[in-house]
Amino acid sequence: MEKRLLFAIFHVSFALMLVLVHGQDIPGFISIDCGSLDNYVDEQTGIYYTSDLQYLDVGRGENYSISPQFKTRNLAKQLWNVRSFSRGRKNCYTLRPSQGKNNTYLIRASFMYGNYDANNQFPVFDLYLGGNKWNTVKVKDTDNLITMEIIHVPQSDYIFVCLVNTVSGTPFISTLELRLLNNDSYIVPSGSLELFARLDCGLSPNKLVRYENDVLDRIWMPVNYEEWDVLNTSSAVDPFNVFNPPSLVMSTAVTPQNPDEALLIKWSTDDNSTAEFYITLHLAEIENLQENQTREMNMFVNDRKWYGPFSPEYLRATTLYGTKVDKSFSIRINKTENSPLPPVLNALEIFTVKPMFQPQTDQNDVDAMMNIKSTYELKSKSIYQVERDWQGDPCMPSNYTWDRLNCSFKGFDPPRIISVNLSSSELTGEITPYISNLTMLQILDLSNNNLSGTVPDFLSQMPYLRILNIENNNFSGTLPVGLQAKLNSDSLSLRAGGNLYLCLTNPCKKEDKKKTNNVLIPVVASVCGFLAILLTAGVIFWCLKRRKQDTTASTNVNAESNKKDEQLEPKKQQFSYSEVLTITNNFERIIGKGGFGTVYYGFFDDSQVAVKKLSVSSAQGYKQFHAEAKLLTRVHHRNVTALVGYCDEGPNKGLIYEYMANGDLAWHLSDKNAHPLSWEQRLKIAIDAAQGLEYLHSGCKPPIIHRDVKTTNILLNEKLQAKLSDFGLSRAFPLEGDTHVSTIVVGTPGYLDPEFFTSNWLTEKSDVFSFGVVLLEIITGRPAITKQNGKGHVIEWVKPRLSKGDMTSIVDPRLVDQQDLNKISIWKAVELALACVSPNSAKRPTMTQILIELKECLGMEMA
Ligand SMILES: *[C@@H]1O[C@H](CO)[C@@H](O)[C@H](O)[C@H]1NC(C)=O
Ligand SMILES: *[C@@H]1O[C@H](CO)[C@@H](O)[C@H](O)[C@H]1NC(C)=O
Ligand SMILES: *[C@@H]1O[C@H](CO)[C@@H](O)[C@H](O)[C@H]1NC(C)=O
Ligand SMILES: *[C@@H]1O[C@H](CO)[C@@H](O)[C@H](O)[C@H]1NC(C)=O
Ligand SMILES: *[C@@H]1O[C@H](CO)[C@@H](O)[C@H](O)[C@H]1NC(C)=O
Ligand SMILES: *[C@@H]1O[C@H](CO)[C@@H](O)[C@H](O)[C@H]1NC(C)=O
Ligand SMILES: *[C@@H]1O[C@H](CO)[C@@H](O)[C@H](O)[C@H]1NC(C)=O
Ligand SMILES: *[C@@H]1O[C@H](CO)[C@@H](O)[C@H](O)[C@H]1NC(C)=O
Ligand SMILES: *[C@@H]1O[C@H](CO)[C@@H](O)[C@H](O)[C@H]1NC(C)=O
Ligand SMILES: *[C@@H]1O[C@H](CO)[C@@H](O)[C@H](O)[C@H]1NC(C)=O
Ligand SMILES: *[C@@H]1O[C@H](CO)[C@@H](O)[C@H](O)[C@H]1NC(C)=O
């Protein structure tokens, strides 16, 4: 998606105003002149640039100079050299700023082709930040300078900037810069900020402001219009805020020539698709106003009032900022009616919000791999060069995982390394202890190298290691006792032949050698064991009381009801059929139909109840009735419908639930509801339902899979608090060992995990899938499956619209009119829902993660 500013086009010739020579590194700055062999202080900015060699693996890329005709005094020295990467799919710079993760960094990459390769062909390639695509670099001209800038908060101490060859020319880069920003500035919860324009209003044309006028080294471009007047001051403007707009930038401002007109700035996306923009306006009064003078103004974004009335303070910078999703934008600043003076604007920045969906690999794993790589690269160059792409993040993006490595990808969790194959890699020396830091490692192949020394004991401490191959090396001594024990317990498969001096037993016996030659002991995936667990699971069953840190009133209620539960024997919850008749007044009023029977209104013990009468014809019903009754008497959570009691008299079976005055969610989302739920209400309902599911998955032991999560099974009480109902399909399933249950029971079409059809397994992630469908219904107001036209699943309906960035068409039209919605929270919810309905269950988040995300959405909405 290209964006276009409708007004000025800037011809940037790096004509910088400053000649300042600084000594050394500036804290929080990394400044790399790619392709250069020298370190030097840049004459124009005083910034210390270094060669790129220390940020790259040895031997990566080739250094070049651009064609001499472009090396003029006007072109900054750091653009005179480039590094190009003719080999490897992906080549990365590894930045490790000393301030580490979770800080806000500006990262800027510049590309000036300058016909460095004398080919006069313009390459196109991709730029990645860790596992996420940042942008595509399209060189359009020989002397065209392309600068890409992103503001990013890394979740790991490593920042990988990678150039990816897309087979349309050789990737190259001129400079790479990193600047530490204030943690509290330029924050959006949903991603990183890609610079679209950073404008200094009223600055003289052909000038730029950067370090050290801007201590953060942002590059400000001049902007002015014919219909604008310029104000200036020679006094310093106090930046006074976390954005720290430079005094020089703030000391000029523009104002409309006709004081009654507005300052108007417009831009749009090129392809009419919506995008989320982050806008900052920097304002300060730079005229020394008389007491009887006032300047007061209002800001409008797309003709909606954004902020105001506002009077800038004299020589003090104020920054207004916010985000909005749309395809075209106008910012209009006009004076208020009682302001004699026209509006002013000193500077503005416009960013697009770039979602960063791909997590970075677990930092301990990255540290370990980096250390393993550097330990062995001294001795064996083949390990990382040319044929092996050991570049950037080890696991991400998942189609560029390091060669000979396999990772596990689970939803939003950082990927983990689970297998490493260094077979035939000319490794020498001992097995590096850094291997032990790969704590999730399952498979390690070190065969056919020249490794020597003893087999280290730490291998036996690695909890998940199940296949180890150290064949054909020069190991000596005896196998550690711990590894022998693992072999004996069949939890490890070991190949250790071809090591002349290695004994597999202690004490060493001669005949061992023969035996060891091909010891392959299979890992036990004990089918019997699994079945046994399954059988006992039905018997041993209880729910843990959750110990939540935030002890809310409702958790106290839980504790109490649990206590009551212990005192009351199950018998007290059992009702006779005649009692049920009294409660329901002879089944007078039907209030719903559940999976296995009709639900009637009742009155018991001064409170309303819902009585589900099991239909006699329901063949499965009897089994499910017991399952449900057993489960529900043990499940206590404020987001799960409470079972008051049950009736079990021969063919007359019924369940008595608390009454949910507001019926089910499906009705509330449907057209039948004349008072559509607000976005905030919807979010709260989603959170309630997620809490209920999270409790079933994580708070119950063994966990419970609901198996039939859908909008008709989410009930609302008089306060619109949501609770899960209908556990008819739930079964306990084992906690340890395999986390899935084979079953013949199938949930509701439209909500059923597609993996079920191939695997016949239902897991917690199946509930996550169904929950994702529910979330999409909540957002769109559309049912899971639209009956018209036969096909029409809500997932298929949302996806094309989202990929067009067309948010407004996704959201329930009855919501849009209600209020000025927080688009980020909706956007985030859509992303979350789509992650839940990922066809691959491993990519779905857990209910715990979902809950965190939803609460963030709600937080944004309330803020
Ligand atoms: C590239 O680097 C080598 C040293 O590795 C150096 O001798 C050569 O001059 C450099 N080439 C350019 C164009 O800078
Ligand atoms: C990152 O920083 C934010 C605030 O600056 C803090 O709330 C959060 O807990 C931090 N996260 C980590 C992983 O340090
Ligand atoms: C930013 O946040 C990180 C993590 O929360 C903290 O370590 C660091 O000191 C903060 N930096 C600034 C400049 O506030
Ligand atoms: C302010 O503008 C006036 C008139 O355009 C100009 O003469 C003066 O040099 C400017 N002052 C500064 C500090 O830029
Ligand atoms: C964008 O939409 C406008 C009107 O809606 C239309 O005139 C214009 O051609 C569209 N531009 C593109 C690139 O689709
Ligand atoms: C403001 O006051 C000054 C004298 O203090 C006077 O000359 C000027 O006309 C006044 N301006 C307005 C708009 O009242
Ligand atoms: C300012 O602009 C808004 C939106 O265009 C308009 O509604 C309002 O009347 C304007 N106010 C003045 C004082 O010009
Ligand atoms: C990797 O995946 C990305 C995004 O899914 C895609 O654009 C790219 O072409 C893929 N690369 C390869 C080599 O498959
Ligand atoms: C990684 O997984 C692929 C596909 O499952 C498999 O072919 C390959 O052998 C694995 N690699 C390692 C190092 O285990
Ligand atoms: C490791 O790689 C080698 C060569 O590519 C292959 O023969 C071997 O089976 C792999 N080992 C594992 C455990 O996958
Ligand atoms: C990684 O391994 C080294 C050497 O065994 C050890 O000193 C270090 O503490 C480990 N780091 C982590 C994070 O486990």
Side-chain angles (χ1 to χ4, degrees):
M1 199 194 326
E2 282 190 21
K3 289 107 202 168
R4 185 159 50 110
L5 266 182
L6 283 184
F7 57 106
I9 297 166
F10 305 100
H11 290 285
V12 182
S13 57
F14 258 65
L16 298 164
M17 300 140 288
L18 265 181
V19 181
L20 254 182
V21 178
H22 247 261
Q24 271 297 310
D25 266 348
I26 299 153
F29 280 31
I30 296 177
S31 311
I32 307 171
D33 181 350
C34 306
S36 163
L37 303 175
D38 310 326
N39 304 336
Y40 59 89
V41 174
D42 180 64
E43 282 182 13
Q44 314 234 285
T45 55
I47 294 172
Y48 183 67
Y49 282 85
T50 58
S51 155
D52 57 348
L53 293 173
Q54 58 174 305
Y55 301 98
L56 281 174
D57 285 346
V58 181
R60 280 275 158 185
E62 306 87 39
N63 58 321
Y64 287 97
S65 269
I66 60 168
S67 169
Q69 70 194 91
F70 300 111
K71 292 194 203 167
T72 62
R73 259 196 69 78
N74 279 342
L75 189 73
K77 186 176 173 195
Q78 57 274 26
L79 300 172
W80 288 22
N81 296 304
V82 304
R83 182 168 299 274
S84 74
F85 299 94
S86 59
R87 286 175 302 164
R89 301 185 292 176
K90 178 173 104 170
N91 284 281
C92 300
Y93 283 89
T94 306
L95 307 182
R96 296 199 69 180
S98 53
Q99 298 78 12
K101 65 182 157 198
N102 208 15
N103 276 291
T104 307
Y105 297 102
L106 179 159
I107 302 163
R108 186 164 54 215
S110 306
F111 309 86
M112 159 89 192
Y113 173 61
N115 199 20
Y116 74 85
D117 56 358
N119 275 340
N120 246 320
Q121 278 181 352
F122 306 144
V124 174
F125 52 92
D126 284 344
L127 190 61
Y128 273 72
L129 191 59
N132 291 281
K133 189 171 155 187
W134 170 356
N135 212 326
T136 298
V137 180
K138 291 185 197 132
V139 177
K140 294 198 173 128
D141 211 343
T142 317
D143 59 354
N144 166 230
L145 169 63
I146 299 173
T147 299
M148 298 200 164
E149 182 190 306
I150 199 161
I151 294 178
H152 178 63
V153 181
Q155 299 307 307
S156 136
D157 291 342
Y158 295 87
I159 299 174
F160 298 110
V161 177
C162 304
L163 285 76
V164 171
N165 192 327
T166 54
V167 209
S168 329
T170 305
F172 74 93
I173 183 166
S174 305
T175 45
L176 184 58
E177 296 163 311
L178 172 141
R179 310 287 181 241
L180 177 68
L181 304 181
N182 188 310
N183 276 353
D184 301 321
S185 63
Y186 302 108
I187 297 290
V188 286
S190 54
S192 300
L193 295 175
E194 188 172 16
L195 184 67
F196 178 48
R198 176 176 292 122
L199 305 172
D200 179 353
C201 302
L203 182 70
S204 314
N206 293 326
K207 279 195 172 180
L208 291 179
V209 176
R210 65 179 291 192
Y211 193 79
E212 83 171 332
N213 284 310
D214 185 347
V215 293
L216 302 176
D217 194 30
R218 290 162 292 192
I219 299 177
W220 301 81
M221 309 272 192
V223 62
N224 204 347
Y225 279 153
E226 273 181 20
E227 61 268 33
W228 289 354
D229 276 340
V230 175
L231 302 178
N232 70 19
T233 178
S234 50
S235 310
V237 180
D238 179 355
F240 197 64
N241 78 45
V242 291
F243 289 87
N244 202 356
S247 177
L248 185 62
V249 168
M250 298 307 291
S251 68
T252 58
V254 290
T255 181
Q257 276 171 359
N258 175 351
D260 292 325
E261 301 244 301
L263 285 168
L264 180 63
I265 294 150
K266 281 178 153 180
W267 73 94
S268 67
T269 59
D270 229 15
D271 50 3
N272 279 349
S273 60
T274 52
E276 187 178 3
F277 281 88
Y278 179 92
I279 302 158
T280 69
L281 300 183
H282 305 287
L283 295 144
E285 180 59 74
I286 55 175
E287 282 189 319
N288 199 354
L289 303 185
Q290 304 300 315
E291 278 196 359
N292 57 2
Q293 284 181 302
T294 48
R295 190 195 305 280
E296 198 181 54
M297 51 213 202
N298 285 316
M299 283 77 177
F300 297 83
V301 173
N302 288 2
D303 292 327
R304 284 192 133 181
K305 176 91 168 280
W306 190 42
Y307 195 79
F310 172 73
S311 293
E313 276 187 81
Y314 183 57
L315 300 182
R316 263 192 172 181
T318 303
T319 298
L320 305 177
Y321 60 97
T323 64
K324 180 153 179 61
V325 179
D326 215 327
K327 51 192 165 210
S328 68
F329 284 79
S330 65
I331 297 177
R332 184 192 307 273
I333 308 176
N334 61 11
K335 68 185 188 71
T336 62
E337 269 157 22
N338 39 18
S339 170
L341 293 176
V344 292
L345 179 61
N346 307 60
L348 79 157
E349 292 165 288
I350 304 167
F351 300 87
T352 48
V353 177
K354 194 123 208 158
M356 291 279 157
F357 290 124
Q358 307 294 339
Q360 285 180 278
T361 302
D362 178 84
Q363 178 151 353
N364 287 334
D365 282 5
V366 180
D367 278 329
M369 280 319 296
M370 290 296 181
N371 284 322
I372 292 167
K373 181 169 131 178
S374 64
T375 304
Y376 289 125
E377 79 186 357
L378 300 172
K379 291 152 194 159
S380 157
K381 294 210 160 165
S382 71
I383 186 173
Y384 64 94
Q385 273 186 340
V386 195
E387 72 273 21
R388 304 225 179 130
D389 271 318
W390 279 30
Q391 287 285 302
D393 188 293
C395 299
M396 300 302 293
S398 55
N399 56 0
Y400 290 108
T401 295
W402 285 8
D403 215 11
R404 300 199 158 216
L405 226 61
N406 275 349
C407 301
S408 69
F409 302 96
K410 286 211 173 110
F412 297 147
D413 291 346
R416 301 298 307 259
I417 294 165
I418 55 169
S419 113
V420 175
N421 188 345
L422 293 178
S423 172
S424 309
S425 299
E426 298 169 34
L427 307 185
T428 57
E430 303 201 330
I431 296 185
T432 166
Y434 291 117
I435 297 241
S436 68
N437 292 12
L438 296 171
T439 50
M440 296 301 285
L441 195 67
Q442 299 175 8
I443 301 174
L444 177 63
D445 192 338
L446 297 172
S447 60
N448 301 311
N449 287 300
N450 291 320
L451 292 166
S452 54
T454 55
V455 177
D457 186 48
F458 65 73
L459 291 173
S460 56
Q461 312 297 325
M462 298 184 65
Y464 298 101
L465 189 66
R466 54 188 179 85
I467 296 178
L468 175 62
N469 189 344
I470 51 170
E471 267 177 349
N472 301 324
N473 279 289
N474 296 324
F475 292 113
S476 54
T478 53
L479 203 62
V481 181
L483 276 183
Q484 289 180 22
K486 281 195 142 189
L487 280 177
N488 293 339
S489 71
D490 288 350
S491 60
L492 179 75
S493 141
L494 173 74
R495 280 174 179 266
N499 288 292
L500 215 48
Y501 303 107
L502 181 67
C503 298
L504 284 200
T505 55
N506 197 358
C508 192
K509 291 194 208 117
K510 269 261 160 91
E511 60 269 27
D512 277 342
K513 243 180 247 157
K514 248 188 257 159
K515 260 200 218 161
T516 62
N517 253 334
N518 247 326
V519 191
L520 178 60
I521 299 159
V523 194
V524 204
S526 163
V527 177
C528 303
F530 173 60
L531 281 182
I533 296 167
L534 214 110
L535 287 177
T536 46
V539 183
I540 313 162
F541 180 83
W542 74 99
C543 273
L544 284 180
K545 256 192 280 172
R546 301 295 304 276
R547 273 184 211 93
K548 285 198 179 165
Q549 279 117 343
D550 55 331
T551 321
T552 56
S554 46
T555 45
N556 289 337
V557 172
N558 276 346
E560 266 169 37
S561 63
N562 272 355
K563 228 191 296 156
K564 201 160 73 186
D565 202 34
E566 281 157 23
Q567 291 156 358
L568 297 178
E569 280 304 292
K571 263 180 204 155
K572 293 233 169 168
Q573 296 175 322
Q574 195 158 352
F575 293 77
S576 68
Y577 187 59
S578 60
E579 279 171 315
V580 171
L581 286 176
T582 316
I583 290 171
T584 60
N585 200 10
N586 291 321
F587 300 112
E588 187 190 15
R589 199 175 123 204
I590 296 180
I591 53 174
K593 280 212 188 336
F596 339 94
T598 309
V599 185
Y600 297 88
Y601 179 81
F603 205 80
F604 169 71
D605 233 10
D606 289 340
S607 48
Q608 307 177 91
V609 291
V611 179
K612 181 190 275 186
K613 187 184 176 200
L614 218 64
S615 66
V616 185
S617 61
S618 167
Q620 302 176 320
Y622 289 101
K623 260 187 267 160
Q624 286 163 354
F625 168 75
H626 278 293
E628 191 166 16
K630 266 189 176 166
L631 268 167
L632 275 180
T633 52
R634 287 162 173 83
V635 172
H636 292 278
H637 188 270
R638 70 197 142 106
N639 297 117
V640 172
T641 46
L643 183 67
V644 179
Y646 61 93
C647 165
D648 189 7
E649 256 184 38
N652 297 317
K653 294 181 196 296
L655 289 164
I656 302 159
Y657 296 101
E658 67 176 308
Y659 180 71
M660 299 292 285
N662 266 311
D664 67 36
L665 176 61
W667 183 86
H668 284 269
L669 293 176
S670 74
D671 296 334
K672 290 171 208 151
N673 181 5
H675 305 286
L677 298 168
S678 72
W679 177 236
E680 192 182 315
Q681 283 170 324
R682 292 178 198 221
L683 271 179
K684 283 182 174 160
I685 290 169
I687 289 172
D688 284 342
Q691 261 161 348
L693 272 178
E694 200 243 358
Y695 171 73
L696 296 179
H697 290 175
S698 315
C700 294
K701 207 174 170 191
I704 300 172
I705 311 176
H706 185 292
R707 293 168 183 235
D708 201 14
V709 177
K710 54 182 175 183
T711 47
T712 49
N713 276 341
I714 295 170
L715 304 182
L716 305 176
N717 70 8
E718 66 288 348
K719 292 180 204 142
L720 286 183
Q721 185 187 33
K723 305 193 183 201
L724 298 173
S725 81
D726 225 341
F727 284 78
L729 298 175
S730 291
R731 297 273 168 82
F733 68 103
L735 182 65
E736 250 75 56
D738 286 85
T739 52
H740 46 233
V741 166
S742 173
T743 173
I744 46 155
V745 182
V746 173
T748 307
Y751 294 88
L752 190 60
D753 181 358
E755 274 194 356
F756 176 81
F757 296 109
T758 50
S759 67
N760 262 4
W761 298 123
L762 281 178
T763 66
E764 291 131 307
K765 290 293 180 73
S766 311
D767 280 352
V768 169
F769 181 90
S770 313
F771 181 80
V773 176
V774 168
L775 196 50
L776 286 176
E777 291 184 69
I778 289 177
I779 297 163
T780 62
R782 299 175 69 87
I785 296 179
T786 315
K787 295 208 175 78
Q788 297 123 335
N789 310 332
K791 55 180 180 171
H793 197 283
V794 66
I795 301 174
E796 303 313 321
W797 186 85
V798 166
K799 274 188 182 163
R801 287 169 173 78
L802 185 72
S803 62
K804 280 196 216 133
D806 195 358
M807 272 293 295
T808 38
S809 74
I810 293 175
V811 176
D812 188 342
R814 285 173 298 169
L815 256 184
V816 173
D817 299 331
Q818 281 194 10
Q819 73 217 69
D820 198 6
L821 295 165
N822 183 327
K823 294 286 167 35
I824 309 174
S825 96
I826 297 184
W827 190 284
K828 197 175 161 92
V830 174
E831 281 164 5
L832 179 66
L834 287 179
C836 293
V837 299
S838 164
N840 177 353
S841 60
K843 294 204 170 138
R844 297 175 203 151
T846 63
M847 284 318 297
T848 312
Q849 291 164 329
I850 292 169
L851 200 49
I852 293 169
E853 299 280 323
L854 284 174
K855 283 183 174 166
E856 275 178 24
C857 290
L858 185 62
M860 285 179 217
E861 196 56 42
M862 315 271 268

